[in-house]
Amino acid sequence: MAASSYPDDWDERRRKVYSHDNYTCQQCGARGGSSGDTELHAHHLTPRSEGGSDSLDNLQTLCVNCHNSQHKHDITRDTTQNDQQDTVNNHLSRVYTILPFFFFVVIKHLIAPLAAGYGYFYILSEASSTAGSIHWLLTPIVLLVLGTTGGILGLRFQSIVFKSYLLVFGILAWYVSGQDPTFIERLGRIMTDAHWFEALIAIPTVLFGLFGPLLITLGTRITGTTESNRIN
């Protein structure tokens, strides 16, 4: 009958005690094992709570009734509660082991890419809007600078860049569909109200602003793979 924090060989120890005591309760004489049907327990002469050990010379065979009398309550209930507590502790231990890994995966593969992607597009939108309110020519310059800067930073965090574009694909579709008309309206005004060369400048710079970090990162990876294959 195992209990909380008992030694791993507790079952073997108590069987040795039963055998030593001839499977007989040392108080009332009730017999268990092959000679009777009494439930036997291994009782600590000096309680474990008072520093008693689990050694054989501190153990004595008692029947369940005498054992309960010694402890003045149902010892089997304590054992059940201890086993239940052990089960709960084991489950909690597994949860505590899994949680850090779970949060690491969520942060690495979801939160960080989403934050990076949303942050980039937010900066792109605000900066281009501010530049456009000053002069239309500043808008493509800002887009080129931000797209290039995002691409350079993306070289250090390539996995985040790829995951960002994958996760924020809906945001990109949102821009393209015109739900947030910042880029599309500006591009439309340039194409209808401005000279043709302004539209010629606007279209590639808007696309580069949107996809520059992805294009630079992807291009660098492809180039690196090609060079590696050539060397090999």
Side-chain angles (χ1 to χ4, degrees):
M1 182 173 54
S4 178
S5 72
Y6 276 30
D8 293 337
D9 62 344
W10 173 247
D11 284 340
E12 181 181 351
R13 296 191 190 199
R14 65 185 180 84
R15 282 195 294 268
K16 287 183 178 179
V17 174
Y18 300 160
S19 177
H20 177 270
D21 293 335
N22 198 27
Y23 291 88
T24 303
C25 176
Q26 298 302 293
Q27 283 193 0
C28 71
R31 296 179 62 81
S34 60
S35 302
D37 57 0
T38 300
E39 180 181 344
L40 300 178
H41 290 180
H43 169 63
H44 289 79
L45 298 172
T46 301
R48 302 176 81 240
S49 60
E50 298 177 7
S53 70
D54 295 313
S55 61
L56 298 180
D57 58 2
N58 189 45
L59 298 175
Q60 180 186 57
T61 302
L62 294 180
C63 69
V64 61
N65 292 329
C66 292
H67 201 190
N68 288 337
S69 298
Q70 285 285 337
H71 291 276
K72 298 181 173 60
H73 62 274
D74 188 354
I75 190 66
T76 57
R77 184 178 61 182
D78 285 353
T79 302
T80 301
Q81 290 175 343
N82 285 332
D83 290 342
Q84 291 174 344
Q85 186 62 44
D86 284 346
T87 301
V88 172
N89 290 338
N90 288 335
H91 287 313
L92 288 177
S93 177
R94 293 191 188 97
V95 170
Y96 293 148
T97 302
I98 294 172
L99 275 180
F101 175 75
F102 173 77
F103 283 119
F104 171 77
V105 170
V106 169
I107 291 173
K108 180 180 180 180
H109 298 292
L110 184 62
I111 296 178
L114 275 176
Y118 180 80
Y120 174 75
F121 288 118
Y122 177 79
I123 294 173
L124 194 71
S125 178
E126 293 299 311
S128 61
S129 296
T130 303
S133 64
I134 299 173
H135 193 280
W136 75 266
L137 192 56
L138 289 177
T139 299
I141 294 175
V142 167
L143 292 171
L144 286 172
V145 170
L146 289 176
T148 303
T149 302
I152 293 173
L153 292 175
L155 294 178
R156 295 179 58 87
F157 308 99
Q158 295 186 20
S159 63
I160 290 182
V161 172
F162 295 135
K163 292 169 189 172
S164 293
Y165 276 91
L166 180 63
L167 292 171
V168 301
F169 186 81
I171 297 178
L172 294 178
W174 191 27
Y175 274 94
V176 174
S177 67
Q179 294 182 37
D180 184 345
T182 303
F183 290 109
I184 304 301
E185 285 188 354
R186 186 178 301 115
L187 183 60
R189 287 199 303 270
I190 292 175
M191 295 179 66
T192 56
D193 301 335
H195 197 270
W196 65 268
F197 74 90
E198 296 177 359
L200 188 63
I201 294 174
I203 293 174
T205 54
V206 168
L207 293 176
F208 183 78
L210 285 172
F211 298 101
L214 178 62
L215 294 174
I216 292 174
T217 304
L218 187 60
T220 302
R221 174 167 289 192
I222 293 174
T223 302
T225 302
T226 302
E227 289 295 330
S228 178
N229 291 336
R230 184 181 303 171
I231 293 174
N232 294 332

